[in-house]
């Protein structure tokens, strides 16, 4: 998958260094896959949650952080829409961010 934008992840782990390795691992794994359907995502990430507008929520570092993406399955693109602490995630609407 093509991931847009890695910079968002990097800026976040510069603020929260403890999440750098888990985010790098997520990025490295996702760039090698070719998700055609939500089922394919679920096969790779059992704890992924799906919300409206093709949003997929990933639990990062034991659910300490959340990563919200928008996935365009047809074109093989994953858009980073939000990365934050669990508390910050509780304040957003994942389906519209």
């Amino acid at each position: 998958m093509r991931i847009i934008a890695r910079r968002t992840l990097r800026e976040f782990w510069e603020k929260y260094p403890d999440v750098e390795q888990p985010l790098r691992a997520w990025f490295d794994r996702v760039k090698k896959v070719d998700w055609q359907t939500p089922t394919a995502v679920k096969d790779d990430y059992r704890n992924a949650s799906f919300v409206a507008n093709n949003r997929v929520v990933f639990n990062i570092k034991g659910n300490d952080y959340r990563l919200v993406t928008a996935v365009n399955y047809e074109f093989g693109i994953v858009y980073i829409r939000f990365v934050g602490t669990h508390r910050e995630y509780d304040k957003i609407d994942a389906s519209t961010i």
Side-chain angles (χ1 to χ4, degrees):
M1 302 295 286
R2 186 169 157 218
I3 304 167
I4 301 174
R6 181 178 185 186
R7 181 178 63 172
T8 304
L9 300 178
R10 183 175 31 94
E11 289 172 354
F12 187 77
W13 76 53
E14 286 173 355
K15 185 176 178 182
Y16 297 95
D18 65 313
V19 77
E20 179 177 358
Q21 184 55 38
L23 285 174
R24 283 182 183 270
W26 178 90
F27 183 90
D28 290 342
R29 183 172 180 184
V30 172
K31 73 180 180 181
K32 295 175 184 173
V33 298
D34 182 23
W35 293 328
Q36 298 292 313
T37 65
T39 303
V41 176
K42 202 66 161 170
D43 288 344
D44 285 335
Y45 289 95
R46 290 272 177 222
N47 293 328
S49 301
F50 299 89
V51 293
N53 299 320
N54 287 326
R55 300 298 197 266
V56 183
V57 181
F58 297 92
N59 297 323
I60 304 294
K61 194 178 176 271
N63 205 22
D64 289 345
Y65 300 95
R66 295 282 179 96
L67 173 63
V68 179
T69 64
V71 180
N72 184 317
Y73 298 99
E74 181 180 356
F75 294 104
I77 301 173
V78 176
Y79 300 92
I80 306 297
R81 303 299 299 155
F82 170 86
V83 60
T85 65
H86 201 287
R87 179 174 283 173
E88 292 167 337
Y89 173 80
D90 289 340
K91 296 177 183 176
I92 67 162
D93 180 355
S95 66
T96 61
I97 196 162

